[in-house]
Amino acid sequence: MSLVAAFLALVFVHSLVSGRLERSVLTPPIVFTVAGFALLLVTGDMKWAEGQAGVFLHVAEIGLVLLLFTDASRTDLGALRIRHSLPMRLLGTGMLLTILLGALAALLVFPQFSFWEAGILAAILAPTDAGLGQVIVNSPRVPERIRRALNVEAGLNDGLSVPFLLFFMALATTGGIATHEANLARFVGEQLGLGALIGIAIGLCGGWLLAAAARRGWMADSARQLAVVALPLACVLACKPVGASMFIASFVAGLVVQVRYKEAGKHSVEFADEWGQVLNLAVFFCFGMVVARDWRLFAAPHLLYALLSLTLVRMLPVALALAGTKLSRATVLFMGWFGPRGLASIVLGLVFLEQGPPEPGEPVIRLTVVVTVLLSILLHGLSARSGIESYARSLAKLDAAAPERQGR
């Protein structure tokens, strides 16, 4: 109860000064992570932190489930049909190269890793977090085309990272494809196949019912967002008994619900902007306590990989994915740098620790994820406003026909 009281007090105080903080470099993730860190250092109750790990996992899981559904439901599917659009380049070539390069970097920094362990670390740290980059995607000084590309990328790459993580976890569990094909197929089929089917069923049925009720005027406006948000929670309940992936199900349901109910994205975003934000801040608050528990274990290899993950592993694939778009060098650097790691990486790391095999590299993976997310919270948060200023000066030198100022 003391933890809940401390968190609620912080939410209240943060709300009181939120307007002033918005004009500073102190983003909400920085504030709540530092507060969680300070709380555990002051209380010194490390045993309590260990005992709350399960609660942390459940809060983080629900936060990611809602985030996956919200991001998928508000995605412009028409934009994704354009093969060479910026979001498709980032989600296709960019993401695949990020995972590949992340795995190779892990093998170099941690030579004791198996390839599957390296793949697990790369998949956990592949998704970006739109919440950490909120200053960027909301800034009118950044061209709409660039903001939309980064926002769509962050909205979908967390859901797309889940199959890769489950795949590498399955290979690590079975020891390889050649000798355990049946076990691998069963694991991936249960997690991915059933998860996708559940998501399709709940998305289609839920969307049809929502659309029918809206046409007949049965729903009060105040209840629409509650009805929409009930769908990803239904995915959680449906997946638990059969061992399917709740993350795959909620992500697919968010994509499919639009087929029947076009306004699903609007109402899910309304919820995410209000109550969903509280869940996200709770995750960063608890993450700060994890940092306070583990910071003495941080070592140079963890820091080295974190720096590589936030720079070369992110920026080189983005540059290659954007080749041929004629975007300026400043734009490519800007989009490459602002790929923050946050909520999705925290939860995927927890999923690996809870469901993954007892791999020898598990402690290293855990600490590396913590260091990378912590650095991202600080570096991307502190550099957001100065980065926008620098980028805006570069944009001012471009003419009106520059690709940055065009459509998709």
Side-chain angles (χ1 to χ4, degrees):
M1 290 302 294
S2 59
L3 172 67
V4 175
F7 174 71
L8 292 178
L10 179 61
V11 170
F12 181 72
V13 173
H14 180 267
S15 300
L16 294 179
V17 297
S18 56
R20 293 184 65 86
L21 289 176
E22 283 180 355
R23 298 188 291 272
S24 74
V25 296
L26 296 178
T27 63
I30 290 177
V31 172
F32 280 79
T33 299
V34 171
F37 180 86
L39 177 67
L40 196 62
L41 284 187
V42 169
T43 61
D45 194 353
M46 300 297 174
K47 291 184 178 179
W48 176 90
E50 295 289 347
Q52 296 300 308
V55 176
F56 179 29
L57 173 64
H58 293 312
V59 171
E61 283 181 339
I62 295 300
L64 182 58
V65 162
L66 294 175
L67 178 66
L68 288 170
F69 179 86
T70 299
D71 287 341
S73 66
R74 68 178 178 181
T75 298
D76 181 2
L77 298 179
L80 297 181
R81 296 191 188 102
I82 303 175
R83 183 178 177 184
H84 295 295
S85 66
L86 295 186
M88 282 301 296
R89 286 173 174 268
L90 294 173
L91 291 167
T93 304
M95 183 171 176
L96 291 174
L97 288 177
T98 296
I99 293 176
L100 176 60
L101 191 57
L104 293 177
L107 290 174
L108 289 174
V109 177
F110 307 111
Q112 73 273 24
F113 271 11
S114 68
F115 181 78
W116 312 128
E117 290 173 322
I120 287 170
L121 180 58
I124 290 172
L125 293 174
T128 56
D129 187 344
L132 283 179
Q134 203 65 37
V135 176
I136 302 297
V137 298
N138 288 340
S139 175
R141 305 190 68 184
V142 179
E144 182 182 355
R145 184 187 188 193
I146 305 305
R147 285 187 280 132
R148 182 171 59 242
L150 291 173
N151 202 28
V152 172
E153 179 200 15
L156 295 181
N157 62 10
D158 42 13
L160 297 176
S161 295
V162 174
F164 287 98
L165 174 61
L166 297 178
F167 181 74
F168 288 126
M169 284 170 55
L171 293 179
T173 301
T174 60
I177 299 177
T179 55
H180 297 92
E181 289 181 355
N183 290 338
L184 174 62
R186 183 169 61 251
F187 181 89
V188 175
E190 288 176 356
Q191 291 279 307
L192 305 188
L194 280 177
L197 289 175
I198 289 171
I200 291 171
I202 290 177
L204 285 178
C205 293
W208 180 79
L209 290 171
L210 286 166
R215 280 196 310 271
R216 290 169 172 78
W218 292 351
M219 278 197 298
D221 289 341
S222 59
R224 290 174 186 256
Q225 64 174 259
L226 295 177
V228 170
V229 172
L231 298 181
L233 299 179
C235 290
V236 174
L237 296 176
C239 288
K240 285 291 187 181
V242 296
S245 171
M246 69 180 85
F247 305 117
I248 294 293
S250 60
F251 181 71
V252 172
L255 292 174
V256 170
V257 71
Q258 302 177 66
V259 175
R260 295 289 187 178
Y261 189 56
K262 301 294 185 183
E263 295 187 1
K266 170 189 171 185
H267 298 304
S268 63
V269 168
E270 288 173 352
F271 179 88
D273 287 343
E274 297 171 7
W275 297 105
Q277 184 69 8
V278 176
L279 278 175
N280 293 346
L281 294 178
V283 171
F284 287 113
F285 183 68
C286 294
F287 176 73
M289 291 188 287
V290 171
V291 174
R293 182 195 66 186
D294 291 344
W295 71 272
R296 294 177 182 84
L297 303 175
F298 296 165
H302 307 137
L303 179 60
L304 174 59
Y305 185 85
L307 292 173
L308 288 173
S309 178
L310 298 179
T311 54
L312 181 66
V313 171
R314 160 72 182 178
M315 299 175 80
L316 181 57
V318 168
L320 293 174
L322 298 178
T325 60
K326 298 182 180 179
L327 293 171
S328 67
R329 182 179 301 177
T331 295
V332 174
L333 288 173
F334 183 82
M335 296 180 73
W337 169 243
F338 285 106
R341 311 314 199 277
L343 179 65
S345 292
I346 293 171
V347 181
L348 293 181
L350 289 169
V351 169
F352 164 66
L353 294 176
E354 283 287 311
Q355 302 178 10
E359 291 295 311
E362 180 180 294
V364 176
I365 292 174
R366 174 175 60 83
L367 291 171
T368 304
V369 170
V370 172
V371 173
T372 305
V373 173
L374 177 62
L375 275 185
S376 182
I377 291 172
L378 297 175
L379 296 180
H380 288 113
L382 296 174
S383 66
R385 294 193 180 280
S386 60
I388 291 173
E389 291 291 334
S390 177
Y391 182 45
R393 287 195 295 270
S394 298
L395 285 175
K397 301 174 184 177
L398 303 179
D399 58 41
E404 285 83 349
R405 308 187 193 280
Q406 307 306 312
R408 295 169 177 171

